[in-house]
Amino acid sequence: MSNQAETLEFQAEARQLLQLVVHSIYSNKDVFLRELISNASDALDKLRLATMVDKDLVADTDDLHVAIEVDRDARTLTVRDNGIGMTRDEVVGLIGTIAKSGTAELLRQLRESADARASQDLIGQFGVGFYAAFMVADRVTLLTRKAGETGGTRWESAGEGTYSVEGVDEAPQGTSVTLHLKPADTEDNLHDYTAEWTIREIVKRYSDFIAWPIRMTVERPGADGAEATSEVQTLNSMKALWARPRDEVDAAEYNEFYKHVSHDWADPLEVVHMRGEGTFEYEALLFLPSHAPLDMFAPQGRRGVQLYVKRVFIMDDCEALVPTYLRFVKGVVDAHDLSLNISREILQQDRQIQIVRRRLVKKVLTTVKDLKANHPERYRTFWTEFGTVVKEGLIDDTDNRDTLLEILSVASTNDPAELTDLAGYVSRMKDGQSDIWYATGDSRATIENSPHLEAFRAKGHEVLLLTDPVDEVWVERVGEYDGRRLRSIAKGEVDLDTDEEKQQAETEREQQRQEFAALVEWLGATLADSVREVRLSSRLTTSPACVVGDAHDLTPTLEKMYRAMGHEVPSTKRILEINPGHPLVAGLRKAHEQGDSSETLTETAELLYGLAVLAEGGELADPARFTRTLADRLARTL
Ligand SMILES: Nc1ncnc2c1ncn2[C@@H]1O[C@H](COP(=O)(O)OP(=O)(O)OP(=O)(O)O)[C@@H](O)[C@H]1O
Ligand SMILES: [Mg+2]
């Protein structure tokens, strides 16, 4: 090997990539340090492996580490490792060319895509790696010696078309990369990378969990004129808990780590620690918090899962890894085979990431299922805090719908305090009951006092009481559980009588139908602006009237929700059901028969309708008119 200096040209693709790195793609220049540290860490891993495989390899592995050195006067920053190093040929091959397949094609696309954002996405498909150094330096020198060899190699380039390589007789084991820094330019996001605190922060942010110590010598001014001192500090914590086997991590360590990633003050409710092997390796350490964050329902609320690639921090709030309905899950996913530079957009489409996401979701849900079966107290905490959000999953995560329905708990008329699950409801269903009944409303109290519930109460049929806005949506979407229809007590015709009871009641019904036919017809015409039909009810026992929808109608709550979201929704007229057994209805029939003044009669009809709307917790179109009429009417009774 000759020690002669040579000037070589970068391979064409490498030159183009360099151009891109330096001039366009990255607004966040700080990541250059992450790239260099990641390379150094790889080099240390490789050396350790090499000495294990090859017992004859002469290399010093006593103190493997990364060192960051700064020369403020010369404005240089050096990242040094005592890892595997490179031979001259490797330097030329690895640094001077881009070996990755498909790069040429990618670069062609990049050149052709005029818009900057598309370029960002494309570039996310491979790492810019070592070349990131040229974002912050106008000259880079690399000195390296391959473990087991005596001579080293010096490489230098200004990142323009060429580089020089020469052999050197002596070089320390491993690689050092020295950046001759560009002047700081904060407007261009170029910080002063000789400043201790800048370096410290970048290392903490991106490289904290790197498995090797990252050291730096720091200067401290002496107190009261004493001499300045310097000491070597390790900047990273190295504690990548997720990479350790589960049985070697204790609860206190998990808790501490949780607080670190979540900024929560309380301990987590549950730890989910998993690893995937095979074609796509990853580790995941996720946590179910013990309380909901304040921004859980904020439109821009963040998700809590961070993405790492081989212990290098890539991004916060990685939406590609968890669906919105698990946005409260906190933790870390470390995927081994991704590019450090991968963009959010690419991640969303990455097949491997989609597989990981599916596994994470399954695992989180089975964890909750397990809590429900074995730790009811903790499950209850979980459901109280996050149930509302988890229910969003029932709307569009059809893959996991069954599991979601298993972990679901809702209030029910069965018990005033305890929630029930659907299996519990089914086990208590009456003989001959084929549907699962539910009622929706703003609060448990409103629903319980709603006239719709009367017949169910009279017959002793259990009804699920759903009070979250999202409930309206998922019950519609899900439609059935365990082969039984989920049916609203406020929609369609309700007939809870058995066939026998029906037969008995039939004559009475028929008679009522005839007696009330004229009133029903008149009411229908009189209230035509408010309801689309009037009919006799079989769901009322004590209330005079109620309003119901057709099986496929939007409920008033849903209508309100859609409007709040800015959708145009025509308002649906509903059906007024009247109770022939109620004195008010019976009296109204008599008055109508006798041909009472139509004005008073119309007022009574409007009052009857208003009462039905109020009873279900609804809103009147004209409350002032309603109260005025009612007050007049009351005054006349005194
Ligand atoms: N400190 C180092 N010690 C030994 N080899 C190095 C070092 N830095 C870079 N290399 C070699 O140069 C190659 C190119 O580095 P670069 O960072 O550009 O890409 P990468 O690390 O392979 O991939 P990426 O950084 O995109 O994940 C590395 O694969 C490695 O073989
Ligand atoms: Mg790299």
Side-chain angles (χ1 to χ4, degrees):
M1 187 170 50
S2 85
N3 275 8
Q4 219 184 338
E6 264 186 277
T7 299
L8 299 175
E9 284 199 0
F10 281 104
Q11 172 210 32
E13 279 89 28
R15 209 162 49 226
Q16 289 164 4
L17 182 57
L18 261 170
Q19 283 282 314
L20 270 164
V21 171
V22 177
H23 297 294
S24 53
I25 55 164
Y26 249 134
S27 50
N28 180 4
K29 311 257 188 279
D30 294 352
V31 298
F32 83 91
L33 192 54
R34 162 188 93 178
E35 299 286 344
L36 296 181
I37 290 175
S38 146
N39 286 349
S41 168
D42 287 350
L44 296 168
D45 289 339
K46 283 182 199 159
L47 178 61
R48 188 178 48 184
L49 186 68
T51 53
M52 286 192 292
V53 174
D54 175 5
K55 298 279 178 237
D56 298 332
L57 182 64
V58 183
D60 183 0
T61 54
D62 283 350
D63 182 28
L64 297 178
H65 68 278
V66 183
I68 297 177
E69 289 155 17
V70 166
D71 184 334
R72 285 181 155 264
D73 299 327
R75 286 200 52 75
T76 61
L77 172 76
T78 299
V79 177
R80 180 194 303 282
D81 66 71
N82 51 358
I84 189 83
M86 286 175 272
T87 63
R88 178 194 173 106
D89 287 349
E90 283 172 339
V91 172
V92 172
L94 295 167
I95 306 285
T97 64
I98 302 172
K100 283 174 202 158
S101 60
T103 303
E105 169 57 18
L106 208 56
L107 286 164
R108 194 187 56 73
Q109 290 181 24
L110 272 174
R111 269 197 311 278
E112 283 171 9
S113 90
D115 106 68
R117 179 153 182 95
S119 317
Q120 276 272 10
D121 291 355
L122 284 169
I123 205 87
Q125 294 179 22
F126 57 53
V128 293
F130 177 81
Y131 293 168
F134 289 100
M135 299 193 298
V136 300
D138 40 31
R139 190 155 49 91
V140 176
T141 313
L142 177 145
L143 182 64
T144 184
R145 176 164 67 83
K146 179 93 177 184
E149 301 206 347
T150 44
T153 305
R154 178 197 303 278
W155 176 100
E156 188 167 274
S157 175
E160 272 150 9
T162 61
Y163 58 88
S164 68
V165 263
E166 65 179 307
V168 291
D169 291 334
E170 281 188 42
Q173 170 187 312
T175 305
S176 66
V177 179
T178 299
L179 314 188
H180 303 267
L181 295 166
K182 295 179 184 172
D185 177 358
T186 33
E187 271 179 28
D188 195 22
N189 285 314
L190 203 58
H191 301 115
D192 178 6
Y193 298 112
T194 61
E196 179 196 328
W197 291 104
T198 307
I199 295 171
R200 223 177 239 289
E201 266 181 45
I202 301 175
V203 170
K204 256 306 192 213
R205 179 158 173 77
Y206 295 103
S207 312
D208 192 45
F209 300 117
I210 289 285
W212 305 102
I214 303 167
R215 295 187 193 140
M216 183 166 69
T217 304
V218 300
E219 309 284 339
R220 290 286 176 266
D224 301 329
E227 236 178 87
T229 55
S230 70
E231 66 180 42
V232 176
Q233 288 189 359
T234 298
L235 305 184
N236 58 329
S237 76
M238 295 182 275
K239 281 201 212 154
L241 273 201
W242 64 81
R244 283 167 42 193
R246 216 178 343 179
D247 48 8
E248 283 175 23
V249 185
D250 64 34
E253 285 175 299
Y254 277 134
N255 290 351
E256 188 199 339
F257 185 76
Y258 166 73
K259 288 172 188 167
H260 171 81
V261 293
S262 68
H263 307 289
D264 191 359
W265 37 266
D267 287 340
L269 191 68
E270 192 63 35
V271 181
V272 179
H273 193 167
M274 60 194 284
R275 107 183 20 243
E277 266 145 19
T279 46
F280 191 67
E281 273 181 57
Y282 67 91
E283 288 128 6
L285 178 53
L286 304 179
F287 300 90
L288 305 182
S290 54
H291 62 99
L294 293 174
D295 63 355
M296 197 161 64
F297 290 100
Q300 298 306 320
R302 294 159 64 78
R303 268 166 269 196
V305 176
Q306 302 177 339
L307 177 68
Y308 280 74
V309 170
K310 285 213 275 178
R311 296 187 172 204
V312 177
F313 173 78
I314 306 298
M315 66 179 77
D316 270 325
D317 186 21
C318 184
E319 66 270 32
L321 287 169
V322 276
T324 346
Y325 76 90
L326 295 180
R327 56 188 175 271
F328 52 85
V329 173
K330 304 274 184 225
V332 167
V333 172
D334 191 337
H336 292 205
D337 304 317
L338 289 176
S339 145
L340 292 183
N341 193 30
I342 193 152
S343 71
R344 285 183 187 272
E345 291 72 18
I346 296 293
L347 266 182
Q348 300 278 17
Q349 296 148 26
D350 189 284
R351 257 198 58 250
Q352 310 275 27
I353 286 291
Q354 285 169 3
I355 294 171
V356 174
R357 173 187 166 122
R358 270 201 292 279
R359 294 207 190 125
L360 297 184
V361 172
K362 287 232 152 46
K363 182 76 184 183
V364 167
L365 295 182
T366 44
T367 303
V368 176
K369 206 165 107 177
D370 183 62
L371 277 185
K372 181 164 174 276
N374 303 313
H375 307 279
E377 272 309 315
R378 270 151 70 207
Y379 164 76
R380 202 164 307 150
T381 306
F382 172 84
W383 195 257
T384 312
E385 295 294 320
F386 305 111
T388 317
V389 175
V390 174
K391 284 189 275 191
E392 291 172 15
L394 284 167
I395 298 168
D396 45 29
D397 189 354
T398 39
D399 286 350
N400 293 298
R401 185 169 278 174
D402 290 345
T403 318
L404 284 164
L405 285 172
E406 275 180 69
I407 63 179
L408 174 84
S409 283
V410 289
S412 138
T413 51
N414 178 55
D415 189 306
E418 292 293 318
L419 302 182
T420 181
D421 56 11
L422 294 176
Y425 180 100
V426 169
S427 72
R428 290 184 297 268
M429 277 169 66
K430 296 256 172 196
D431 282 347
Q433 181 184 351
S434 54
D435 299 327
I436 297 173
W437 293 100
Y438 67 85
T440 56
D442 290 342
S443 71
R444 182 168 179 135
T446 326
I447 306 177
E448 284 189 316
N449 293 320
S450 145
H452 301 118
L453 208 57
E454 287 169 9
F456 292 85
R457 193 175 286 124
K459 289 270 175 195
H461 282 254
E462 180 174 348
V463 175
L464 301 175
L465 306 171
L466 309 179
T467 52
D468 283 329
V470 65
D471 289 329
E472 297 254 11
V473 189
W474 75 255
V475 285
E476 284 289 331
R477 201 63 70 83
V478 171
E480 60 169 56
Y481 167 78
D482 195 19
R484 292 153 221 273
R485 275 204 299 157
L486 287 159
R487 287 188 63 190
S488 164
I489 63 164
K491 281 184 174 184
E493 303 244 20
V494 163
D495 205 334
L496 301 177
D497 286 348
T498 59
D499 288 344
E500 206 175 315
E501 288 170 319
K502 264 184 219 152
Q503 260 165 10
Q504 282 174 5
E506 194 44 40
T507 24
E508 191 191 344
R509 289 254 176 107
E510 190 47 46
Q511 197 186 336
Q512 278 176 343
R513 265 199 285 276
Q514 282 169 16
E515 276 174 24
F516 283 83
L519 176 71
V520 163
E521 194 190 318
W522 174 79
L523 273 177
T526 309
L527 297 174
D529 284 346
S530 314
V531 300
R532 71 160 176 266
E533 188 192 332
V534 176
R535 67 183 178 216
L536 294 186
S537 182
S538 53
R539 65 182 106 210
L540 296 175
T541 59
T542 51
S543 297
C546 68
V547 266
V548 302
D550 254 350
H552 299 292
D553 283 355
L554 281 183
T555 62
T557 328
L558 267 189
E559 263 181 36
K560 235 191 303 183
M561 251 170 63
Y562 283 128
R563 285 210 189 93
M565 295 189 295
H567 297 288
E568 291 263 350
V569 208
S571 62
T572 343
K573 282 194 210 164
R574 293 192 295 154
I575 299 161
L576 181 71
E577 287 196 355
I578 54 172
N579 178 2
H582 194 278
L584 177 54
V585 177
L588 189 61
R589 183 183 69 93
K590 212 172 282 164
H592 177 251
E593 232 168 48
Q594 289 165 358
D596 275 14
S597 126
S598 70
E599 208 177 309
T600 331
L601 223 53
T602 304
E603 260 181 24
T604 316
E606 281 170 2
L607 285 175
L608 184 67
Y609 169 69
L611 291 173
V613 172
L614 288 179
E616 64 168 7
E619 278 167 29
L620 296 171
D622 188 351
R625 182 184 156 89
F626 178 85
T627 37
R628 206 175 331 120
T629 318
L630 185 62
D632 285 353
R633 199 47 86 74
L634 288 173
R636 265 178 270 156
T637 65
L638 298 173

